[in-house]
């Protein structure tokens, strides 16, 4: 699932394709469920509106239109948003014809993604926790978020606590910070919290610089085929999907376990596990 760097890469491709300033002439909804939850009159209301800006909130992509309209996109598993010459792809669920002849397309093979058109984006956007790349996000912000008895990995995966992190970048950040994912958030001392704040920002910025992480054999599942950007961050991962390989810091083999129902990658030496607590298990999985 795309995380903050992948969504940010999509945002960058939309900016590069000069989407801001374009007018929507017509919107075609090819799969109703993709737009479920939208304001009822959106299809007619969008006609003739200009796209005035774009931004990202956590893993959400937001297009701002005139008259207070917003298009909020959650890519989920395989959603894509891009500008194309024709909307002839069978997996396109929403296509907005622009005045310059191109189409703003929402493509979603697996239909888990959502494209919400609304005049009131605040109920959705306000549910997303602070953005780790916001200028105001620092060590003290993170310290406030960690004031919880929850385990640190599930806490960081919770989009209402902090916006944008998913399984890949949480594992990477925790390795850089030398914090075990099963530690209780409140158990981190100030040095560890400072390291974690810096690590989170580092892995996300590196992810953006590398055009996101592509997993599996095909092209990045968050970018349409044939685009100019090719994700390369998969070549820079230190622990994620590196089970059995030596830790880049100490040489100990990386192990894979399950934390919060998610495959979790750690260095057993750099990230010592907390004392086991009944009711929590970290199941060891053989190297990949
Ligand atoms: Zn290590």
């Amino acid at each position: 699932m795309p995380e903050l760097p992948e969504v940010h890469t999509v945002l960058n491709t939309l900016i590069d394709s000069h989407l801001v300033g374009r007018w929507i002439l017509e919107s075609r909804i090819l799969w109703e469920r993709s737009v479920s939850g939208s304001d009822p009159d959106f299809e007619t209301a969008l006609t003739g509106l200009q796209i005035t800006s774009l931004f990202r909130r956590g893993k959400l992509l937001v297009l701002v239109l005139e008259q207070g309209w917003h298009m909020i996109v959650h890519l989920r598993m395989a959603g894509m948003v891009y500008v194309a010459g024709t909307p002839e792809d069978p997996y396109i669920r929403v296509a907005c014809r622009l005045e310059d002849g191109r189409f703003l397309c929402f493509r979603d093979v697996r239909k888990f993604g959502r494209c919400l058109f609304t005049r009131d984006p605040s109920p959705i956007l306000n549910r997303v926790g602070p953005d780790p790349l916001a200028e105001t996000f620092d060590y003290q912000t993170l310290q406030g978020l960690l004031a919880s008895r929850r385990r640190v990995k599930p806490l960081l995966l919770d989009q209402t606590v902090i916006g944008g992190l998913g399984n890949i970048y949480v594992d990477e950040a925790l390795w850089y910070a030398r914090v075990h994912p099963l530690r209780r958030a409140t158990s981190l001392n100030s040095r560890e919290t400072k390291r974690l704040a810096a690590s989170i920002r580092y892995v996300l910025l590196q992810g953006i610089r590398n055009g996101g992480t592509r997993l599996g054999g095909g092209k990045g599942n968050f970018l349409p085929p044939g685009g100019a950007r090719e994700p390369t961050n998969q070549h820079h991962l230190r622990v994620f999907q590196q089970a059995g390989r030596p830790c880049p810091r100490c040489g100990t083999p990386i192990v894979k376990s399950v934390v919060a129902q998610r495959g979790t990658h750690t260095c057993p030496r750099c990230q010592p596990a907390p004392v086991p607590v009944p009711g929590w298990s970290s199941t060891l999985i053989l190297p990949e």
Side-chain angles (χ1 to χ4, degrees):
M1 187 186 284
E3 304 179 30
L4 189 155
E6 289 74 42
V7 177
H8 209 93
T9 300
V10 174
L11 180 77
N12 286 338
T13 62
L14 292 176
I15 291 168
D16 290 350
S17 58
H18 306 288
L19 184 63
V20 173
R22 302 275 66 81
W23 278 267
I24 292 177
L25 297 190
E26 180 197 1
S27 43
R28 297 180 199 165
I29 310 306
L30 304 159
W31 183 253
E32 283 293 335
R33 249 180 33 217
S34 294
V35 297
S36 66
S38 295
D39 291 5
D41 57 338
F42 80 95
E43 273 184 85
T44 46
L46 294 180
T47 304
L49 294 189
Q50 190 178 28
I51 299 164
T52 56
S53 61
L54 307 170
F55 66 93
R56 180 191 55 70
R57 174 73 59 85
K59 298 180 191 173
L60 300 175
L61 193 64
V62 186
L63 282 74
V64 186
L65 307 157
E66 290 175 311
Q67 298 177 18
W69 279 93
H70 289 70
M71 174 181 171
I72 304 176
V73 183
H74 196 331
L75 301 173
R76 296 260 169 78
M77 298 299 285
M80 295 178 186
V81 181
Y82 55 93
V83 179
T86 65
E88 297 308 322
D89 185 312
Y91 299 114
I92 288 178
R93 312 300 178 193
V94 179
C96 297
R97 187 160 63 89
L98 306 173
E99 101 285 1
D100 64 2
R102 298 181 300 167
F103 290 82
L104 169 64
C105 301
F106 175 67
R107 180 185 192 269
D108 191 12
V109 176
R110 301 186 60 182
K111 299 179 180 171
F112 290 122
R114 284 293 174 270
C115 226
L116 188 83
F117 294 93
T118 179
R119 279 194 193 84
D120 184 14
S122 47
I124 292 168
L125 300 184
N126 291 346
R127 276 208 303 267
V128 182
D131 197 292
L133 294 187
E135 275 182 32
T136 50
F137 187 95
D138 59 8
Y139 145 70
Q140 282 165 334
T141 317
L142 184 64
Q143 197 173 40
L145 304 179
L146 294 178
S148 163
R149 291 277 296 152
R150 293 170 69 186
R151 309 285 172 173
V152 67
K153 176 164 178 174
L155 187 76
L156 293 176
L157 288 174
D158 184 340
Q159 300 302 299
T160 64
V161 172
I162 180 169
L165 292 169
N167 208 32
I168 300 174
Y169 295 93
V170 166
D171 278 9
E172 291 291 303
L174 289 172
W175 177 81
Y176 275 103
R178 282 171 268 158
V179 171
H180 192 278
L182 279 177
R183 292 268 305 274
R184 284 199 191 279
T186 42
S187 78
L188 271 66
N189 62 35
S190 61
R191 255 180 71 192
E192 289 171 321
T193 306
K194 276 180 188 159
R195 272 202 317 251
L196 184 56
S199 301
I200 289 171
R201 288 175 67 97
Y202 176 77
V203 297
L204 294 176
L205 288 169
Q206 183 186 0
I208 293 171
R209 205 168 47 241
N210 293 326
T213 300
R214 179 193 72 192
L215 299 174
K219 285 232 170 196
N221 64 1
F222 56 98
L223 294 176
R229 285 172 200 268
E230 181 64 23
T232 59
N233 199 55
Q234 61 278 9
H235 305 306
H236 300 270
L237 300 175
R238 301 306 176 112
V239 287
F240 191 81
Q241 293 194 346
Q242 305 297 313
R245 300 206 180 122
C247 165
R249 196 160 40 214
C250 74
T252 306
I254 301 297
V255 296
K256 186 177 179 185
S257 60
V258 176
V259 173
Q261 292 92 48
R262 309 295 298 273
T264 295
H265 308 78
T266 52
C267 168
R269 187 166 170 202
C270 295
Q271 298 164 271
V275 180
V277 175
W280 271 85
S281 64
S282 172
T283 315
L284 209 63
I285 292 176
L286 292 172
E288 285 158 349

